Amino acid sequence: MSDVRAGVIGVGSMGRHHARVYSELLGVDLVGVSDANPENAVSVAEAYDAEPLGVDELLSKVDVVSIAVPTEYHYEMAEKAIDAGVDLLVEKPFVADFEKGRELVRRAEAADVRLQVGHIERFNPAIRALGDVLDDDEAVLTISAERLGPPLDRDVSDPVTKDLMIHDVDVVLSLLDQDVLDASAVTNHDGQYTTATLEFDGGCVGRLTASRITQEKVRQLTVGTESRRIKVDYIDQSVRIRRRSRPEFVEEDGDVRYHHEGVVEEVAVDSTEPLKAQLRSFVDAATDGTEPEVTGEAALRVLEVVDQIETAAGSKGTAPDSLVQ
């Protein structure tokens, strides 16, 4: 079989990594890249032995394409890819407008085009390992996430909820498979720091914090069940489980002391670049004609919850009708 022909539209800070990974994947040929800045396109194309092309020409030459342009242009570029019959991966957030997102999902289905959305943390090996560790017979009681970091040295038009917190909303929804009953949130520093509390219909309570003003980079997720506390570090790609411990008071040399013992397990995690795993999954779905792991429908559900968080925090006007209480 011939190699899958791949392209990238938008080779800025994220898109250039898509180009790099496509150039490294077995069975994939990076044909070309396109960017509104011709110098970016030429630079990335030269680095990875591809051609700098216009969007229409690129789409005429590829089987799959990554769309990594600013969110406001996602719909336009995705529409072009679908019309060209090219399977596409759209970086998160999927779209700026819900109705246009639903339209893209319908059009992709009608055209038999695979549409995947780039929620990359789903492919973090630590999250993969966490999914294997969680027991279907043991309910998740609490789940919390911290995604913190200092101010960025690049322009970001999306608020912190759609830039950072959206990753954790996607992971939490995929792990719980429950609906959000209610959301409360607070935000400060012009929306650069937001904390949200989510109540799920299965009884779980989630607390998510995202920040672009914290002078330490933190990417952590903690899951609490009746017998375990599971801590995931996205950066270290580690998963640690603390089992139920037995607290007791003990007497030592006539003094009463508090004694607490617990068991900590380190889960084996295969170290893999999440982007490489994501694009491998996308290419395989396109090749096999199967449903992508992160569908447009799943991405729209994530956006609905993020929108509800923003509304609760007072940073947006109205939530989608499906979420208005």
Side-chain angles (χ1 to χ4, degrees):
M1 295 181 62
S2 59
D3 287 350
V4 174
R5 300 169 300 168
V8 182
I9 300 175
V11 285
S13 59
M14 190 63 191
R16 65 180 57 241
H17 289 294
H18 281 250
R20 171 182 59 80
V21 170
Y22 279 133
S23 74
E24 296 171 352
L25 285 181
L26 184 66
V28 177
D29 177 22
L30 177 66
V31 172
V33 300
S34 181
D35 196 272
N37 183 335
E39 293 181 0
N40 280 352
V42 170
S43 173
V44 173
E46 289 179 349
Y48 302 112
D49 194 24
E51 287 187 88
L53 301 169
V55 171
D56 292 338
E57 185 179 5
L58 174 66
L59 290 173
S60 72
K61 293 186 175 184
V62 300
D63 305 304
V64 301
V65 68
S66 284
I67 296 175
V69 295
T71 306
E72 61 187 300
Y73 302 110
H74 282 186
Y75 174 81
E76 178 186 351
M77 294 299 107
E79 183 182 40
K80 284 178 175 288
I82 293 170
D83 288 346
V86 175
D87 296 317
L88 65 156
L89 184 148
V90 183
E91 264 299 341
K92 63 83 191 166
F94 177 26
V95 285
D97 179 274
F98 285 93
E99 286 308 316
K100 287 187 175 181
R102 294 185 180 104
E103 180 186 341
L104 288 176
V105 169
R106 289 192 296 265
R107 291 181 62 166
E109 183 177 355
D112 193 27
V113 165
R114 257 53 56 191
L115 190 164
Q116 180 166 324
V117 180
H119 285 289
I120 192 170
E121 294 291 25
R122 290 264 203 115
F123 299 89
N124 190 302
I127 293 299
R128 299 290 212 194
L130 174 63
D132 294 336
V133 164
L134 290 177
D135 189 340
D136 292 337
D137 296 328
E138 187 176 33
V140 174
L141 305 179
T142 62
I143 190 163
S144 62
E146 287 187 306
R147 190 168 292 267
L148 318 174
L152 301 176
D153 58 359
R154 58 183 173 88
D155 292 333
V156 179
S157 58
D158 295 317
V160 72
T161 44
K162 285 191 172 74
D163 180 38
L164 297 181
M165 187 178 287
I166 193 171
H167 288 293
D168 298 307
V169 171
D170 175 67
V171 168
V172 169
L173 292 181
S174 68
L175 290 173
L176 294 180
D177 193 25
Q178 298 178 21
D179 291 328
V180 176
L181 292 178
D182 193 25
S184 59
V186 293
T187 187
N188 62 16
H189 292 277
D190 295 325
Q192 298 300 300
Y193 183 100
T194 299
T195 293
T197 300
L198 304 177
E199 178 186 350
F200 292 89
D201 62 0
C204 178
V205 174
R207 187 172 181 83
L208 313 179
T209 300
S211 171
R212 290 195 293 229
I213 56 170
T214 303
Q215 298 304 321
E216 179 186 9
K217 187 174 182 178
V218 177
R219 301 285 188 271
Q220 294 181 347
L221 181 79
T222 303
V223 177
T225 70
E226 187 174 348
S227 65
R228 297 177 296 174
R229 183 174 185 268
I230 308 168
K231 187 173 183 179
V232 175
D233 191 306
Y234 290 94
I235 299 173
D236 295 344
Q237 295 187 353
S238 63
V239 180
R240 294 180 175 86
I241 303 172
R242 183 175 289 275
R243 299 281 178 180
R244 178 187 297 167
S245 57
R246 297 182 178 274
E248 60 181 341
F249 289 96
V250 297
E251 185 175 335
E252 295 180 3
D253 298 328
D255 295 332
V256 176
R257 301 179 183 276
Y258 182 72
H259 184 67
H260 198 111
E261 286 189 353
V263 176
V264 178
E265 302 174 18
E266 182 106 18
V267 177
V269 177
D270 293 331
S271 182
T272 306
E273 182 184 359
L275 181 58
K276 187 165 289 188
Q278 176 181 254
L279 294 186
R280 178 79 271 169
S281 174
F282 168 54
V283 169
D284 288 346
T287 303
D288 301 336
T290 55
E291 183 176 85
E293 187 160 345
V294 185
T295 64
E297 292 93 335
L300 287 173
R301 183 179 176 226
V302 171
L303 282 173
E304 285 186 335
V305 174
V306 171
D307 199 273
Q308 191 177 12
I309 290 169
E310 292 178 343
T311 300
S315 58
K316 286 202 67 172
T318 58
D321 291 342
S322 61
L323 289 175
V324 175
Q325 302 297 312

